[in-house]
Amino acid sequence: MPETSQPGVARGRVAVALNARVALLLAFAFAVMADPVSSVAYAIEAALRALDGDLGLLLPAMTLVVAVIALVIVNYQQLIARYPQGGGASAATGEAFGEGWAFVPIAALIVDFVLTIAISVSAGASAMIAYIPALAPERSVLALALVVLVGAATWFGHSGRMVFGAMTIAFIAVSMAVLAFGLGAHPQPIGTITTTAGHRSVLAVVLAFPVAMALATGVEAPSSAIAQLGQLDDRGRRYFGKVTLWLTLAIVGAITLGLTLEAHHLRVGVPPEGTTQIAELARIAAPAPLFAAFQLVTALLLLSAASSSFQAGPGLLKALARHTDAAGRSTGILPPMLARTNTRHTPYWGVAWFTGIAAAVTVAAGGYDQRLVLFYAVAVFLSFLAGLVAMAVFSHREGRFRSLMLNIVGVVVVGFTLLVNLARGEPVFSLLVALLLAAGLHLMWVKAGRPRGVGDVEALAEGGT
């Protein structure tokens, strides 16, 4: 080969490598953000219900929700910087307070995974019913069937991650089209629409926005999911994690605020029985084929979110199961059967466990996603709180004043959000289940001789170890 052609060959190789890296980043980011993006399907309606149908207050409430998500993301950047090999809140909590405390965010995540499955399949059933009202009488059966279907699909392993990314992109594209059509659509008031007068409006927004914080579920995922990126060094994983965090905020924020503004413009209030707010918005804004496509991609994205928890949850149980490490030491605390996998590396007993529990929760809620939203927000915010308190401890120990102030603000806002939701009564059940589960796991850990590495289980689960 002539010497003069070598620089061109080198540039070509660099371009190919760069393109491959960009493709990997986009595939990772869109797969990981399936959960928070799918939450748009029910979070906006949840806030409107908490506002008793006041469309005028919906935008301030959802703006606060997006602002809180941004605050969480700014803080979680520190987690990614500190733990580039994954680990998230459990790694931070274990390092800050001792390994036994790592079970608090671990238990919160397990509860979160169960609720993600239940609420996602219920919202998927709602999307189907909104398009085919004849399915309404069979809501519970339909939602239960979706739990079993998605759980069974998990048998085929982790190849579904590309599907998650594709579904996320499809939902984003179709949502943008619905928003564009809505700009020229005429208002068609539907559902319950009210007005809150005077100073009570501020209080109404403050009390309502925490209900919609289910939208934040999944924004923490990059902090642990970067463990999947074994082909990258620590610097690369940090970069991928941080870009994914901000890309998630941009996309979730844009779709959420766009749909909120369009709901106000088209006068779409709390929907009648048998449909959803965003379904009615799409029905009014878009032509029939686009409405059908919107309902389809919404349902598929929700099922993808459920599938991601069907993979992450059993993976977490597998990482906690008793096994023998490379040095011949016995480690882990859960029964060894939870570590057994099929030829696709799927921990099938964990899948069976999550299927049974999620099915029970789904049936208890009657297949209605709005009955689960409050329980959902509590579970994930307990994990957020643990991670942020741990980061505040690190910032204080290391004398990083600016980081400490940011951590403290995050702790206060997340703590307030958690308390407001708990004050509604029933969501306390999520907190109690998570704390009892954490206590049970801690007891098993003590009986097992306090094996090391508890804080690393999130990274182990995501890394497939």
Side-chain angles (χ1 to χ4, degrees):
M1 180 179 293
E3 186 176 344
T4 55
S5 69
Q6 291 179 356
V9 172
R11 285 194 296 271
R13 289 174 178 171
V14 170
V16 170
L18 180 61
N19 290 337
R21 189 178 179 88
V22 171
L24 177 62
L25 171 60
L26 293 177
F28 173 78
F30 283 104
V32 170
M33 73 173 71
D35 190 355
V37 172
S38 70
S39 300
V40 173
Y42 44 82
I44 302 173
E45 182 180 328
L48 186 59
R49 287 179 180 274
L51 291 165
D52 295 323
D54 192 327
L55 282 171
L57 299 181
L58 185 60
L59 181 60
M62 295 313 298
T63 300
L64 268 177
V65 170
V66 174
V68 173
I69 292 174
L71 179 62
V72 171
I73 283 175
V74 169
N75 278 277
Y76 263 71
Q77 282 191 119
Q78 297 180 28
L79 271 180
I80 288 174
R82 193 176 189 93
Y83 304 103
Q85 296 183 352
S90 64
T93 306
E95 182 182 346
F97 303 107
E99 281 200 305
W101 285 98
F103 289 112
V104 173
I106 289 171
L109 274 180
I110 292 173
V111 174
D112 178 61
F113 291 143
V114 170
L115 289 174
T116 296
I117 296 168
I119 199 171
S120 295
V121 298
S122 296
S126 294
M128 296 178 187
I129 291 168
Y131 188 71
I132 309 174
L135 295 173
E138 307 301 329
R139 175 183 290 273
S140 291
V141 175
L142 176 59
L144 182 59
L146 291 176
V147 172
V148 175
L149 176 65
V150 177
T154 309
W155 183 268
F156 298 99
H158 291 268
S159 57
R161 293 195 184 275
M162 292 300 293
V163 176
F164 305 158
M167 290 301 99
T168 304
I169 293 170
F171 178 80
I172 293 168
V174 176
S175 295
M176 291 297 106
V178 168
L179 289 172
F181 273 97
L183 293 175
H186 296 290
Q188 298 180 34
I190 185 172
T192 302
I193 301 174
T194 63
T195 301
T196 303
H199 66 278
R200 291 183 301 169
S201 61
V202 176
L203 180 61
V205 169
V206 170
L207 295 179
F209 90 86
V211 176
M213 288 312 307
L215 190 68
T217 303
V219 299
E220 83 290 348
S223 67
S224 55
I226 52 175
Q228 302 168 17
L229 301 170
Q231 65 271 58
L232 301 179
D233 58 14
D234 286 353
R235 182 179 178 183
R237 283 191 288 268
R238 287 191 184 100
Y239 177 76
F240 271 47
K242 291 179 180 180
V243 170
T244 300
L245 282 174
W246 289 109
L247 190 59
T248 299
L249 175 64
I251 290 173
V252 172
I255 294 177
T256 297
L257 298 181
L259 291 172
T260 299
L261 286 167
E262 196 148 287
H264 184 270
H265 165 61
L266 299 177
R267 309 302 293 165
V268 182
V270 177
E273 183 77 16
T275 187
T276 67
Q277 186 192 28
I278 65 167
E280 293 309 303
L281 184 153
R283 195 192 308 272
I284 295 169
L290 182 56
F291 169 61
F294 182 75
Q295 293 305 104
L296 176 62
V297 296
T298 299
L300 290 176
L301 177 60
L302 286 161
L303 297 184
S304 294
S307 182
S308 68
S309 287
F310 259 123
Q311 294 184 359
L316 189 58
L317 298 185
K318 176 187 173 186
L320 286 167
R322 290 196 297 273
H323 60 280
T324 302
D325 64 15
R329 296 169 299 188
S330 178
T331 187
I333 59 174
L334 295 180
M337 62 184 293
L338 291 172
R340 296 174 188 167
T341 61
N342 62 10
T343 55
R344 301 273 185 167
H345 308 291
T346 299
Y348 47 85
W349 281 112
V351 171
W353 188 91
F354 271 89
T355 300
I357 301 299
V361 172
T362 302
V363 171
Y368 285 95
D369 49 283
Q370 291 299 322
R371 294 178 182 173
L372 294 169
V373 170
L374 278 174
F375 297 93
Y376 194 32
V378 166
V380 71
F381 266 69
L382 177 59
S383 178
F384 286 164
L385 188 61
L388 293 180
V389 171
M391 292 309 301
V393 170
F394 297 145
S395 296
H396 179 263
R397 288 176 181 172
E398 296 162 8
R400 293 182 286 113
F401 180 75
R402 291 183 180 179
S403 294
L404 177 60
M405 291 300 99
L406 182 63
N407 299 148
I408 290 174
V409 172
V411 168
V412 170
V413 172
V414 167
F416 172 79
T417 304
L418 182 60
L419 288 174
V420 171
N421 282 334
L422 290 173
R424 296 177 184 273
E426 290 183 349
V428 171
F429 184 71
S430 285
L431 179 65
L432 291 177
V433 170
L435 293 179
L436 287 173
L437 181 58
L441 291 172
H442 185 274
L443 181 61
M444 296 174 72
W445 176 66
V446 171
K447 288 185 175 180
R450 301 175 185 263
R452 302 297 300 273
V454 171
D456 299 327
V457 294
E458 281 191 64
L460 293 174
E462 290 288 351
T465 302

